Amino acid sequence: MHERALPLHRRALALREALDPPAPELAVHLNELALWHANQGEFDAAAALFARARALLERQHGAASLEVARVLLSQAAANEAQARYGQAEALYDGTAAARLDEAQALNNLAGLHYRRRRFAEAETQYLRALALHEQAHGADSPGLLPVLENLLALYRSQRRDADARAVARRAEALRERLHAESGG
């Protein structure tokens, strides 16, 4: 945000607060203004705005919502910029539950697309679900197996043998690691 835009942004924020304080757009404005302050090195001002955005979104959507996760990610980046790595890590960890919820929803949505024979959409959703789950728990998480198995079924149903083999190898390698870790 350019320096001349700051007063305009603050005015827009004041208008939004006056018209409809609980509106989700208010939290978006608060987060954007917080990011601007963080980029200017004004971390105390940024922290106060992040806190307001987060509190508003938690009341509206719950603490584990994607909306709250977006603010946490912004706040984590600001803490990282200040070399507050412990605080940044805690904030990044706080977004994991929202990513897992979204990953499960995407896996379910992909299954619906698959059953409706909308294969390209199903593949996109399965791949996004995998990426989100990996972000939340890493590439060795047992929670990846259901998504991998669904993606494998999709590829097999389309006779995409090379893709199916790659996913099957990944799923089998994950099963073997999990089996070895469990002492089996």
Side-chain angles (χ1 to χ4, degrees):
M1 182 181 336
H2 191 273
E3 189 67 36
R4 289 181 287 174
L6 180 60
L8 296 173
H9 201 30
R10 286 187 175 149
R11 177 77 176 131
L13 181 62
L15 289 171
R16 176 62 68 187
E17 288 174 316
L19 293 174
D20 196 0
E25 293 82 11
L26 175 58
V28 171
H29 283 298
L30 291 167
N31 190 52
E32 288 175 5
L33 192 54
L35 286 169
W36 185 86
H37 281 289
N39 286 335
Q40 299 302 309
E42 300 167 2
F43 297 112
D44 291 339
L49 291 164
F50 284 133
R52 286 181 59 201
R54 182 176 174 183
L56 178 63
L57 291 170
E58 284 179 350
R59 282 193 306 273
Q60 292 175 344
H61 303 286
S65 69
L66 289 173
E67 291 82 2
V68 171
R70 287 183 189 103
V71 173
L72 291 175
L73 289 171
S74 296
Q75 191 173 10
N79 276 285
E80 192 173 345
Q82 298 173 73
R84 294 181 177 173
Y85 300 117
Q87 291 171 336
E89 185 175 351
L91 290 164
Y92 283 130
D93 285 344
T95 67
R99 288 192 307 262
L100 285 176
D101 287 347
E102 184 181 13
Q104 182 61 50
L106 288 170
N107 188 44
N108 293 344
L109 179 61
L112 173 67
H113 290 319
Y114 175 79
R115 290 184 293 281
R116 296 184 67 207
R117 306 186 59 75
R118 293 164 52 184
F119 300 129
E121 292 172 72
E123 180 181 18
T124 298
Q125 302 305 326
Y126 284 137
L127 293 173
R128 285 182 57 208
L130 278 173
L132 286 169
H133 199 95
E134 287 175 337
Q135 287 174 0
H137 284 293
D140 291 336
S141 170
L144 292 171
L145 283 173
V147 184
L148 287 169
E149 289 166 358
N150 290 339
L151 186 59
L152 176 60
L154 171 71
Y155 288 154
R156 285 181 175 160
S157 73
Q158 294 181 290
R159 294 186 172 82
R160 291 173 56 183
D161 297 331
D163 292 327
R165 280 192 299 275
V167 172
R169 280 192 299 271
R170 182 174 175 195
E172 185 57 32
L174 179 55
R175 278 190 208 89
E176 288 175 6
R177 276 194 303 279
L178 295 171
H179 184 72
E181 289 173 8
S182 69

